[in-house]
Amino acid sequence: DLILPDDLHTQVIHIPALLQSGTVSALVMRGMGGTGRRTVIGALAKEVGQSVLLVESITDDNRRLIGPLASLTNSLPILRLNPNPGETVDVPPLAGYQGVVGVTAGRSGGLRGESLGHALTLTLPPPDPVARSRFWAASSTPIDPDDSGTIVRRFLTTGGIIHRAAGLATTYARLD
């Protein structure tokens, strides 16, 4: 179950139908690192019967392989792009692939390219205290309720950071 603000969750539940209808050429998820951009795209891909092909960087060598590999494995490619403020990054066409392209990007910078012609863009905000509590509760780390409230109030952490911190805390606790 995705941990998202209510208004965003309401939007996200309608996206699989858009993906299947062919009206969306790309799904762009913006937000700070660790907010679950790839997790959301992965959940949506799973909902429409696809796996994901995560592309950390696009090079001349791998560009020709991404499309055919995504097609052969019935995967939605997720391109990780991080343009700097004031910079615009080209999203290359994926030869051999005829589906929706997922793109994750930070909150700033521009994106352009043929595959973005009918893009749907969502921005994932940093989690609020309620969401941070839900992330901690979803982790397997037992936390004293008093400490949990303090952690949630004092630290603006993303779900990804909470997931990593919870795992680390469990590891260190086992050392005692």
Side-chain angles (χ1 to χ4, degrees):
D1 194 29
L2 295 173
I3 299 173
L4 298 170
D6 290 339
D7 59 335
L8 191 57
H9 191 270
T10 302
Q11 292 175 348
V12 167
I13 60 173
H14 298 291
I15 293 175
L18 292 172
L19 299 180
Q20 291 175 318
S21 73
T23 58
V24 174
S25 62
L27 181 57
V28 179
M29 295 299 242
R30 288 188 166 272
M32 60 191 267
T35 55
R37 298 167 297 175
R38 289 178 300 211
T39 302
V40 172
I41 295 174
L44 293 168
K46 183 177 179 181
E47 189 69 26
V48 297
Q50 290 184 288
S51 57
V52 295
L53 174 64
L54 181 59
V55 181
E56 292 287 342
S57 65
I58 301 170
T59 65
D60 288 337
D61 292 335
N62 71 7
R63 181 179 308 186
R64 293 183 302 265
L65 300 175
I66 297 167
L69 185 58
S71 294
L72 289 170
T73 59
N74 188 34
S75 297
L76 189 152
I78 301 176
L79 311 178
R80 187 175 186 181
L81 304 173
N82 289 307
N84 293 316
E87 177 185 24
T88 299
V89 173
D90 288 310
V91 178
L94 301 179
Y97 179 73
Q98 296 296 318
V100 175
V101 175
V103 177
T104 64
R107 296 182 284 183
S108 62
L111 302 169
R112 70 174 165 226
E114 291 175 28
S115 58
L116 298 176
H118 291 90
L120 175 62
T121 301
L122 296 175
T123 300
L124 297 178
D128 63 11
V130 172
R132 291 194 299 272
S133 292
R134 290 179 60 202
F135 280 119
W136 279 109
S139 76
S140 59
T141 306
I143 299 175
D144 182 278
D146 293 336
D147 292 339
S148 175
T150 301
I151 292 168
V152 165
R153 281 189 311 277
R154 292 182 72 191
F155 300 102
L156 174 61
T157 51
T158 63
I161 292 171
I162 291 169
H163 178 74
R164 286 190 297 276
L168 215 66
T170 301
T171 300
Y172 277 108
R174 288 183 182 146
L175 294 175
D176 287 337

